[in-house]
Amino acid sequence: MEHLTLIVPAKNEKESLPNVLDELKKYNLKIIVVLEKDDLDTINAIKEYDCKILFQTNKGYGDALLQGIKNVKTNFFCIFNADGSFNPVELQNMYDHAIKGNADFVFGSRYMNEALSEDDTIITFIGNKIFTLIGKIFFSLPISDILYTFVLGNAQKANTLKLKEKSFSFCVELPILAKKSNHKLISVPSHERVRIAGKKKDNAFKDGFLIKISMIKLYFERN
Ligand SMILES: Nc1nc2c(ncn2[C@@H]2O[C@H](COP(=O)(O)OP(=O)(O)OP(=O)(O)O)[C@@H](O)[C@H]2O)c(=O)[nH]1
Ligand SMILES: [Mg+2]
């Protein structure tokens, strides 16, 4: 997967991220970890690993991803969480779809045949279903798991989308703007694991609310 760079957003992931980087070693991928400068515990935990560390200038999950994508030098990027919930064995299938030109953005989905989440709660499951349905109805999104954000995509195309969400609303902004720009989106089955250690960074109610606002804004914005 020589044309691929992983973008790993990390916030207080000193326990999980070293395990994730260990698991990734055998794949020999380019890796950019994006975190805040003062997240010293995470920085110290990964200093022996072969990855680029990028300090985000602002705060937030979306901000980290925006900066990561801007720094990708390969044709493709993949958002890869620092908590161990994504399995790198799934990258090859996503990459093959991108290389063959089957899609510009390949979205992992936990809600297809042969897919699974070990980490869903009833709240995240219902929230996801509702936002995915809104995505289908109002934006004609052909994806089945809008909030998962295990996405492998064309870096150059992502960089022309004018992404700006610095919060978890990035999850909906990326597919919606990609679709508005007529890029091709597909879903592929994914098996989400539970995070290895550490704490969840998002809040289902606060971030769910921000995502709703963001979708309304995106609906009324001109293409
Ligand atoms: N750089 C950066 N990374 C972040 C920020 N917020 C979350 N992340 C990372 O983004 C990824 C997704 O966040 P999670 O907390 O795992 O969100 P989640 O998957 O909904 O929650 P879990 O169910 O606990 O896995 C993880 O790798 C986090 O470390 C942030 O503000 N800055
Ligand atoms: Mg997670």
Side-chain angles (χ1 to χ4, degrees):
M1 293 185 269
E2 57 175 323
H3 301 297
L4 179 64
T5 304
L6 298 188
I7 299 167
V8 181
K11 182 175 179 180
N12 301 334
E13 298 286 6
K14 67 171 186 227
E15 301 101 339
S16 301
L17 186 51
N19 291 288
V20 171
L21 295 175
D22 276 331
E23 192 180 25
L24 283 168
K25 266 183 191 158
K26 67 173 182 219
Y27 296 89
N28 245 326
L29 295 162
K30 292 163 203 69
I31 300 173
I32 303 178
V33 176
V34 196
L35 37 63
E36 286 173 32
K37 216 184 216 139
D38 56 5
D39 189 353
L40 297 176
D41 286 343
T42 310
I43 296 167
N44 283 330
I46 60 167
K47 60 177 182 242
E48 306 297 331
Y49 288 88
D50 183 17
C51 58
K52 176 172 172 179
I53 295 182
L54 189 70
F55 296 127
Q56 59 185 118
T57 40
N58 299 299
K59 287 184 187 298
Y61 167 80
D63 178 68
L65 295 176
L66 280 174
Q67 294 196 30
I69 296 172
K70 274 191 204 138
N71 278 275
V72 167
K73 305 231 160 33
T74 52
N75 291 353
F76 302 102
F77 72 92
C78 185
I79 298 169
F80 202 85
N81 283 354
D83 62 357
S85 52
F86 298 169
N87 190 336
V89 82
E90 296 177 0
L91 289 169
Q92 187 70 56
N93 178 41
M94 297 167 87
Y95 183 74
D96 289 347
H97 279 293
I99 286 280
K100 285 183 198 148
N102 295 346
D104 302 305
F105 295 91
V106 182
F107 288 78
S109 166
R110 298 162 290 182
Y111 311 121
M112 296 171 80
N113 282 339
E114 292 173 45
L116 182 75
S117 175
E118 294 172 13
D119 199 30
D120 245 357
T121 62
I122 189 74
I123 305 277
T124 55
F125 176 80
I126 292 172
N128 223 321
K129 288 283 173 196
I130 292 173
F131 288 124
T132 299
L133 188 65
I134 294 174
K136 276 200 170 76
I137 295 173
F138 292 97
F139 302 96
S140 307
L141 291 184
I143 58 175
S144 51
D145 187 357
I146 196 170
L147 300 184
Y148 188 31
T149 320
F150 185 11
V151 188
L152 188 150
N154 180 304
Q156 197 224 326
K157 289 183 178 169
N159 276 318
T160 56
L161 290 180
K162 304 207 176 82
L163 295 158
K164 50 180 186 283
E165 287 288 0
K166 300 194 185 304
S167 68
F168 277 97
S169 299
F170 181 94
C171 297
V172 295
E173 189 187 38
L174 173 65
I176 290 172
L177 291 186
K179 176 72 185 163
K180 282 187 176 187
S181 295
N182 292 323
H183 296 314
K184 189 159 180 220
L185 283 52
I186 57 167
S187 285
V188 296
S190 174
H191 177 154
E192 181 187 34
R193 305 181 292 194
V194 281
R195 63 160 44 251
I196 296 172
K199 291 200 190 100
K200 192 178 180 70
K201 310 299 172 315
D202 59 327
N203 173 299
F205 295 102
K206 180 179 147 243
D207 290 297
F209 178 74
L210 291 176
I211 287 169
K212 215 180 308 164
I213 301 286
S214 173
M215 287 181 108
I216 294 170
K217 265 184 4 207
L218 284 160
Y219 183 71
F220 288 106
E221 262 171 25
R222 303 176 77 214
N223 282 348

